[in-house]
Amino acid sequence: MNNGYEIRWHGRGGQGAKTAALLLADVAFQTGAYVQGFPEYGPERMGAPITAYNRISQNQIRVHSNIYTPDLVVVVDETLLESVDVTAGLKENGALIVNTKRSAEEIRPLLKGYKGEIYTLDAREISVKALGKYFPNSPMLAAAVAVSNVMGWSSFMHEMRASYQHKFAKKPEVIDGNMKALEMTYQALEKDLKHNKKMSA
């Protein structure tokens, strides 16, 4: 796709990968971008592998297929690394984000020779600290925006707060917890983002 950015999400049913893709499309749309956010439909049962996609562009999007050569792949459940070729088609200058306690160096041998950027994030730790429960979709969504830079971070935070306020109007603690999870995610990735930016300069 010309002048656009494509993301593929891998997760399991019930983890929020589809929700994260749809929410990313919504907040990107609010910033004036053309967007697509959609799941690949299969047996939608709890725990089953699922795939979702985003296209984000400043130009009108005319393609409506699945995404086969993504710029970014987000893996919400690291157990999928053992059964799914998550880097299939991933561009050489693209990036991979994995929800795991392990480092990028520990993950790389599982990736069938992929040589691009790898970011790892412990979304469980972040969401439990911020929300008291394990909801990986908010941290992984924040990670996708931070790594892809498809929108400015301040714009993203503004739109996410508006979205949370709409959905959780009577639960201010949920709004604050989700916003804290987004902030903690950026802080967790900031060092690697600066390092990789310097290396590619």
Side-chain angles (χ1 to χ4, degrees):
M1 185 178 72
N2 293 331
N3 301 315
Y5 198 90
E6 296 182 321
I7 302 172
R8 187 173 70 220
W9 299 76
H10 293 280
R12 295 188 182 278
Q15 292 178 330
K18 180 175 78 170
T19 301
L22 297 177
L23 189 50
L24 176 56
D26 184 52
V27 296
F29 177 78
Q30 296 301 324
T31 67
Y34 291 93
V35 301
Q36 290 179 356
F38 56 97
E40 181 176 14
Y41 287 102
E44 299 241 338
R45 61 185 187 277
M46 189 73 73
I50 67 109
T51 310
Y53 305 94
N54 284 113
R55 287 188 177 95
I56 301 171
S57 178
Q58 296 307 307
N59 301 315
Q60 190 169 352
I61 302 171
R62 301 186 184 281
V63 60
H64 295 281
S65 64
N66 287 351
I67 291 171
Y68 302 104
T69 55
D71 299 283
L72 174 67
V73 169
V74 183
V75 181
V76 182
D77 189 316
E78 68 174 310
T79 65
L80 292 169
L81 298 176
E82 301 164 9
S83 57
V84 177
D85 184 3
V86 297
T87 58
L90 180 56
K91 293 175 181 173
E92 288 185 11
N93 62 344
L96 175 75
I97 306 170
V98 182
N99 174 17
T100 180
K101 291 179 179 291
R102 292 185 281 180
S103 68
E105 290 71 26
E106 291 173 289
I107 292 294
R108 195 176 291 279
L110 305 175
L111 300 177
K112 302 183 185 298
Y114 170 70
K115 300 189 185 308
E117 292 180 1
I118 301 171
Y119 296 85
T120 60
L121 179 78
D122 190 346
R124 178 181 294 277
E125 180 183 39
I126 288 172
S127 64
V128 169
K129 281 183 178 178
L131 290 157
K133 294 181 180 178
Y134 180 40
F135 294 115
N137 54 337
S138 285
M140 298 310 286
L141 171 58
V145 171
V147 171
S148 67
N149 202 29
V150 291
M151 69 186 81
W153 186 255
S154 59
S155 296
F156 169 67
M157 292 293 281
H158 173 79
E159 296 300 340
M160 288 302 295
R161 179 171 288 280
S163 178
Y164 290 142
Q165 286 173 337
H166 176 72
K167 290 177 183 173
F168 306 114
K170 297 181 179 179
K171 296 182 178 180
E173 71 282 0
V174 176
I175 298 169
D176 293 341
N178 274 289
M179 294 304 296
K180 183 178 178 182
L182 303 181
E183 292 167 2
M184 288 174 66
T185 298
Y186 190 85
Q187 290 166 6
L189 290 172
E190 195 169 18
K191 183 179 177 181
D192 287 340
L193 287 166
K194 288 180 178 178
H195 173 74
N196 286 335
K197 188 174 183 179
K198 181 188 285 188
M199 294 294 287
S200 61

